[in-house]
C-alpha cells in the first residue's frame, strides 16, 4: 500500500492519500476505516442527457469526484473491493450534497482518507505496513519472517500436545490469560479481522495492541500460513508461565 500526504499526529485530524496495491491492503483498510471518516475518490455515474424535451433522454456515463462521510461499509473479499456508503459533503454539477452515494475502494485506485481523530493504534498499523512493504522488497527477509512464524506455530502445536498448561486457544481463554499478564506470544489469523461486525474487529485489534504494550509478541498469519490455527478458532497464545486447567477457570 502506498501512502502520501501530511504527517499524521495522534489525537489530531489529518488527511492522507492511499493507493492499495494488493488484496491484503483492502482487508487492512476495512479494519482501519470507520464510520464518520471521509473518503474523497473518483468514480463514474450514469446521467441522463435531455437537451430537448421533445427528444428521448440519453444515458451516458461520466467520471466525477465525490467526497462522502461514511455511514456503512461492506468488504467483498472475493473481488478485493471495499464498498463505502455515506452522504456527500459537497455538491457538484451532477450530484447534490447530503445524498447517499457508494464508492468502491479497490486495488490501484487512489483516494483520500480523512479522519477527525487519528488514534495511535491506526498510525502504528500504517507504519508497520510501510515497514513490512520495505521488508518484502528484500525476498530473503520476507522468507525469514514466514519461517519464523511457521516455527513458532509448530512450537505452539507441540505445546498443546505435550505441555498444555503453557498454551491456550480460543478468545475467552486467550483474553483470560492476558488478564493474568501471562501471554508471551499471541498468534492470530487475519481472518478474525475480517468479521463484518466492527465491534468484533475492534476487540481483536485492542487485544493485539494490549499484548504488545504488556511486552508480549504478536504473530499474524494469512489464510495459507495460518490454516491450522484457523481450525483452532484463529486466536491462540504461548504463555510465559503455566496456567493449569485454564479452560475450567474461564468457565
Amino acid at each position: 500500500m502506498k501512502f502520501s500526504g501530511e504527517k499524521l499526529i495522534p489525537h489530531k485530524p489529518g488527511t492522507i492519500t492511499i493507493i492499495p496495491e494488493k488484496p491484503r491492503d483492502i482487508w487492512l483498510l476495512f479494519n482501519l476505516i470507520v464510520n464518520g471518516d471521509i473518503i474523497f475518490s473518483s468514480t463514474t455515474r450514469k446521467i441522463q442527457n435531455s437537451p430537448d424535451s421533445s427528444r428521448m433522454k440519453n444515458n451516458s456515463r461520466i467520471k466525477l469526484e465525490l467526497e462522502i462521510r461514511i455511514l456503512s461499509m461492506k468488504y467483498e473479499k472475493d473481488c478485493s473491493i471495499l464498498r463505502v456508503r455515506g452522504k456527500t459533503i459537497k455538491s457538484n454539477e451532477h450530484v447534490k450534497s447530503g445524498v447517499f452515494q457508494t464508492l468502491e475502494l479497490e486495488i490501484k485506485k487512489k483516494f483520500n482518507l480523512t479522519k477527525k481523530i487519528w488514534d495511535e493504534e491506526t498510525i502504528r498499523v500504517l507504519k508497520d505496513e510501510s515497514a513490512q512493504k520495505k521488508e518484502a522488497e528484500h525476498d530473503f527477509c520476507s522468507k525469514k519472517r514466514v519461517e519464523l512464524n511457521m516455527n513458532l506455530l509448530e512450537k505452539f502445536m507441540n505445546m498443546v500436545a505435550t505441555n498444555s498448561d503453557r498454551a491456550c486457544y480460543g478468545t475467552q481463554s486467550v483474553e483470560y490469560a492476558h488478564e493474568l499478564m501471562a501471554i508471551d506470544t499471541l498468534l492470530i489469523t487475519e481472518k478474525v479481522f475480517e468479521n463484518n461486525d466492527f465491534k468484533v474487529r475492534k476487540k481483536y485489534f485492542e487485544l493485539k495492541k494490549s499484548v504488545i504494550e504488556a511486552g508480549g509478541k504478536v504473530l499474524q498469519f494469512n489464510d495459507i500460513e495460518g490454516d491450522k490455527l484457523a481450525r483452532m478458532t484463529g486466536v491462540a497464545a504461548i504463555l510465559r508461565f503455566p496456567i493449569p486447567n485454564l479452560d475450567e477457570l474461564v468457565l
Side-chain angles (χ1 to χ4, degrees), residues 149-250:
N149 279 12
M150 299 311 293
N151 286 342
L152 280 171
L153 182 56
E154 193 63 33
K155 177 183 177 181
F156 166 77
M157 294 297 181
N158 289 336
M159 279 187 168
V160 171
T162 63
N163 189 12
S164 60
D165 291 348
R166 287 283 310 279
C168 66
Y169 59 91
T171 302
Q172 286 185 305
S173 294
V174 170
E175 287 179 334
Y176 186 74
H178 182 50
E179 288 179 11
L180 300 177
M181 302 297 287
I183 294 180
D184 175 74
T185 305
L186 175 68
L187 300 91
I188 193 164
T189 63
E190 293 180 353
K191 188 75 175 177
V192 302
F193 296 105
E194 295 175 5
N195 194 293
N196 284 323
D197 188 337
F198 173 72
K199 292 181 180 178
V200 174
R201 302 200 310 274
K202 184 178 180 182
K203 177 179 72 172
Y204 287 118
F205 263 114
E206 290 180 345
L207 173 64
K208 178 180 171 181
K209 175 185 176 184
S210 186
V211 167
I212 292 172
E213 290 176 343
K217 299 181 288 292
V218 175
L219 297 181
Q220 195 162 303
F221 298 82
N222 61 32
D223 290 349
I224 297 174
E225 297 170 357
D227 180 60
K228 290 182 180 179
L229 184 59
R231 282 181 260 148
M232 302 174 71
T233 74
V235 184
I238 296 173
L239 306 181
R240 291 190 173 107
F241 49 83
I243 306 179
N245 306 314
L246 178 58
D247 290 340
E248 296 179 12
L249 293 175
V250 172

Side-chain angles (χ1 to χ4, degrees), residues 2 21 130-142:
K2 291 182 181 178
E21 297 180 294
S130 178
Q132 288 179 18
K133 180 184 176 183
K134 292 178 181 178
E135 178 185 291
E137 292 172 353
H138 302 280
D139 191 51
F140 176 76
C141 293
S142 182

Side-chain angles (χ1 to χ4, degrees), residues 110-159:
K110 180 172 69 173
F111 68 93
N112 291 349
L113 170 62
T114 300
K115 286 180 176 286
K116 188 176 182 179
I117 297 292
W118 284 88
D119 62 80
E120 293 180 357
E121 175 64 8
T122 301
I123 295 174
R124 186 192 65 76
V125 170
L126 290 176
K127 288 181 178 178
D128 288 350
E129 183 66 18
S130 178
Q132 288 179 18
K133 180 184 176 183
K134 292 178 181 178
E135 178 185 291
E137 292 172 353
H138 302 280
D139 191 51
F140 176 76
C141 293
S142 182
K143 289 180 179 178
K144 290 291 288 182
R145 182 194 64 80
V146 172
E147 184 180 347
L148 174 64
N149 279 12
M150 299 311 293
N151 286 342
L152 280 171
L153 182 56
E154 193 63 33
K155 177 183 177 181
F156 166 77
M157 294 297 181
N158 289 336
M159 279 187 168

